[in-house]
Amino acid sequence: MIRRYFEGLSRFEAAFVVAVACLAAVGIGRAFWPGPDGGGPAPRPAAAVKKLPVVVDSAEPELIGTDLGRSAMGLPPPPGSDASLTEKVLDEIREKTLGMAGIRAQVGARCEGDEVTVKKGEWTVCTATYRGVKLAWEVLVEDVTGGGAWTVQFIDYHVFPPDSGVLLAKAVQGRFWDQYRKDAKELRCDKMPPLKRVALGADTGYRCQYLDVEGDAPRWVNAKVFLEEFGPVFREVE
């Protein structure tokens, strides 16, 4: 059958047909025969993960934990019930500023006009100063009741955070260690300045990462760094 097929072909045409047949056989063999290890074609190597430069391998001793009391934050006892609204507001913004920064430091605070205006619907700006950075908190008096000769005055107010806050490298690394050290073999973060003013609730542009060893195979997980009113938070990148 094969001999009859080649009859009538010139020597050059017959050689060409044989060459094409051999190439086709090689291609089929590569497609269907297993590789040297018997498991089929070798898988493509996984892309190398870029490790971030700062290794986070211990707790941050200056970090303000979320469960610490006022004395551990370096704050005095809270104002008494007979304290003025201004005293209460200044104490509150000092505490909130420390919670945002995450690292203990002296915090100065002052309200415009040196007091909060006690009048329904009035706004007052009170400024906290953390390591030289001024943060403007806004105070709204929502309602005022009582206050006559024989009644106690009740003031309903709300303190609104500034548009920006202070991001500290120590706080980021300390919070990252506290949050991920139990489930991770290795933790790393971007190199960042000791203190930087950033917008609250926005992506800071900094990243941290950890080596997850809980699954079938270790894998690096990256997380974006954000600053919220209560301090640095991490949102994992899918």
Side-chain angles (χ1 to χ4, degrees), residues 54-68 72 101-105 130-131 168-179 181 187 194 232 234:
V54 179
V55 177
V56 181
D57 56 4
S58 63
E60 172 51 57
E62 297 182 55
L63 183 70
I64 297 173
T66 55
D67 57 347
L68 292 181
I103 300 294
R104 289 188 291 272
Y130 181 93
R131 296 187 178 179
L168 280 77
K170 283 185 176 182
V172 171
Q173 295 164 16
R175 292 277 174 89
F176 196 64
W177 170 263
D178 284 354
Q179 186 169 338
R181 63 184 172 86
L187 294 87
F234 308 96

Side-chain angles (χ1 to χ4, degrees), residues 22-225:
C22 290
L23 288 174
V26 170
I28 294 173
R30 286 181 178 173
F32 291 98
W33 286 95
D37 58 355
R44 297 177 62 183
V49 174
K50 180 182 178 182
K51 293 185 179 181
L52 299 179
V54 179
V55 177
V56 181
D57 56 4
S58 63
E60 172 51 57
E62 297 182 55
L63 183 70
I64 297 173
T66 55
D67 57 347
L68 292 181
R70 291 175 58 90
S71 59
M73 297 173 69
L75 292 170
S81 58
D82 58 343
S84 68
L85 176 61
T86 301
E87 291 176 293
K88 293 177 181 178
V89 166
L90 291 177
D91 179 76
E92 183 175 337
I93 68 172
R94 288 190 190 98
E95 184 174 1
K96 287 186 173 182
T97 299
L98 279 173
M100 176 196 299
I103 300 294
R104 289 188 291 272
Q106 291 294 319
V107 179
R110 178 182 177 277
C111 294
E112 59 183 5
D114 292 328
E115 64 178 3
V116 177
T117 303
V118 184
K119 184 179 179 181
K120 182 178 179 178
E122 287 291 321
W123 290 83
T124 304
V125 176
C126 297
T127 302
T129 304
Y130 181 93
R131 296 187 178 179
V133 180
K134 296 184 180 299
L135 305 171
W137 300 74
E138 294 184 300
V139 184
L140 171 63
V141 174
E142 296 178 334
D143 198 11
V144 181
T145 57
W150 306 102
T151 60
V152 177
Q153 186 180 58
F154 293 96
I155 304 171
D156 185 15
Y157 71 96
H158 189 85
V159 178
F160 293 89
D163 294 331
S164 60
V166 285
L167 182 75
L168 280 77
K170 283 185 176 182
V172 171
Q173 295 164 16
R175 292 277 174 89
F176 196 64
W177 170 263
D178 284 354
Q179 186 169 338
Y180 292 103
R181 63 184 172 86
K182 292 182 179 179
D183 301 323
K185 183 178 180 182
E186 186 176 347
L187 294 87
R188 291 174 173 268
C189 286
D190 275 329
K191 186 175 182 179
M192 57 189 73
L195 184 152
K196 183 179 180 180
R197 187 175 198 133
V198 298
L200 282 187
D203 185 354
T204 64
Y206 296 112
R207 301 288 183 269
C208 289
Q209 64 185 183
Y210 66 92
L211 184 59
D212 183 7
V213 295
E214 293 297 309
D216 295 334
R219 67 185 183 97
W220 283 97
V221 180
N222 294 294
K224 298 179 179 180
V225 180

